Amino acid sequence: MKQLPIVLLMFALMITATADDWIVETVDSDDDVGYDTSLALDAGGNPHISYKDRTNWDLKYAAWNGASWELETVESAGYVGHYTSLALDAGGNPHISYYDATNQELKYAAWNGASWELETVDSGGGGDVGRYTSLALDDSGNPHISYIDYTDYDLKYAAWNGASWELQTLDSGGFIAGYTSLALDAGGYPHISYFDLSNHNLKYAAWNGASWELETVDYDGDVGSYTSLALDDSGNPHISYYDETNGYLKYAAWN
């Protein structure tokens, strides 16, 4: 019993030392910036961030060069930069999917080594598409994007095949209204976790090489918003998400 205060003191010192190991800094101090952030690390461990400037409604990008942050505006035409998702290719070049609120389109930006290339992926035929984007690159550097068609409230998926964008509607059964997360397995097959607002369920879609398999992961209450998906080395999905009914953080894993 006499050793307890010493143990508690040592534990407190460990907590303080651990807390001091965090480096916190301001990346961009322009007025009202930093919404819809997405982070990726390059091979050297340097951070790259895509985000929205809500003062000017621009898509912005920040990268640490080893000595300082380099900031640039990727697109400033209209109200852009919503729901950003960032991935780096094998050469460390950034690729960003995002929503253009002015034209209600899914857009994509890629750095080619000299300049940013911008393009519209899905214009929805005049509808509202491209919210809640999630981007992943395959081994060839081709982009794959999950997103929501907000006109029909469907889950959609876009993939670059090397020559053009292939668009698919994956789930049109109900009110699919937000929060997608995409990951590619070792075979390059896409897996997506998403929120079914009509039933307030967490759902999951996976390509098996021939067709899409859809299933409900959790239906216990109002669950599935703010989802994030990762795959383990065996390709099994792991999903974090929010339980609105209880105010809980939840986790689901395929065993």
Side-chain angles (χ1 to χ4, degrees):
M1 294 296 294
K2 292 182 180 179
Q3 293 180 347
L4 184 58
I6 297 176
V7 172
L8 291 175
L9 177 59
M10 292 177 63
F11 182 68
L13 290 173
M14 289 175 63
I15 292 176
T16 302
T18 302
D20 288 343
D21 287 340
W22 285 98
I23 299 172
V24 179
E25 59 182 295
T26 298
V27 176
D28 188 344
S29 59
D30 284 346
D31 187 39
D32 206 12
V33 293
Y35 288 79
D36 295 345
T37 73
S38 184
L39 170 71
L41 304 180
D42 61 28
N46 296 312
H48 301 245
I49 308 170
S50 61
Y51 59 104
K52 179 175 66 181
D53 174 346
R54 211 174 73 162
T55 297
N56 300 298
W57 300 100
D58 295 341
L59 171 64
K60 297 194 73 175
Y61 167 75
W64 179 257
N65 62 16
S68 61
W69 287 98
E70 297 180 354
L71 310 179
E72 59 183 305
T73 298
V74 178
E75 183 176 4
S76 59
Y79 293 88
V80 294
H82 308 270
Y83 310 111
T84 79
S85 184
L86 169 71
L88 304 178
D89 62 28
N93 297 310
H95 301 245
I96 307 170
S97 62
Y98 59 102
Y99 175 63
D100 178 342
T102 299
N103 298 297
Q104 298 182 322
E105 297 174 340
L106 171 65
K107 300 193 75 174
Y108 168 74
W111 179 255
N112 62 17
S115 61
W116 286 98
E117 297 180 352
L118 311 178
E119 61 182 300
T120 297
V121 177
D122 190 349
S123 60
D128 185 350
V129 296
R131 304 191 193 206
Y132 301 102
T133 79
S134 184
L135 169 71
L137 304 178
D138 60 29
D139 290 341
S140 299
N142 295 318
H144 301 246
I145 308 170
S146 62
Y147 59 104
I148 298 298
D149 178 337
Y150 231 69
T151 298
D152 299 316
Y153 298 103
D154 296 338
L155 172 66
K156 296 194 73 175
Y157 166 75
W160 179 256
N161 62 17
S164 61
W165 287 98
E166 297 180 353
L167 310 179
Q168 298 180 57
T169 297
L170 308 188
D171 192 345
S172 58
F175 195 67
I176 312 301
Y179 312 108
T180 77
S181 184
L182 169 71
L184 304 179
D185 62 26
Y189 293 165
H191 301 245
I192 305 168
S193 62
Y194 60 103
F195 181 51
D196 177 353
L197 183 59
S198 59
N199 297 298
H200 300 277
N201 295 339
L202 172 67
K203 298 191 74 175
Y204 168 74
W207 176 253
N208 62 17
S211 60
W212 286 94
E213 298 178 352
L214 309 179
E215 62 181 301
T216 299
V217 178
D218 190 353
Y219 52 84
D220 185 12
D222 186 350
V223 293
S225 55
Y226 307 104
T227 174
S228 183
L229 168 71
L231 304 177
D232 60 29
D233 291 339
S234 299
N236 295 316
H238 300 247
I239 307 171
S240 61
Y241 58 102
Y242 180 58
D243 179 340
E244 179 78 32
T245 300
N246 298 295
Y248 296 160
L249 168 66
K250 297 191 75 175
Y251 167 75
W254 179 255
N255 59 16

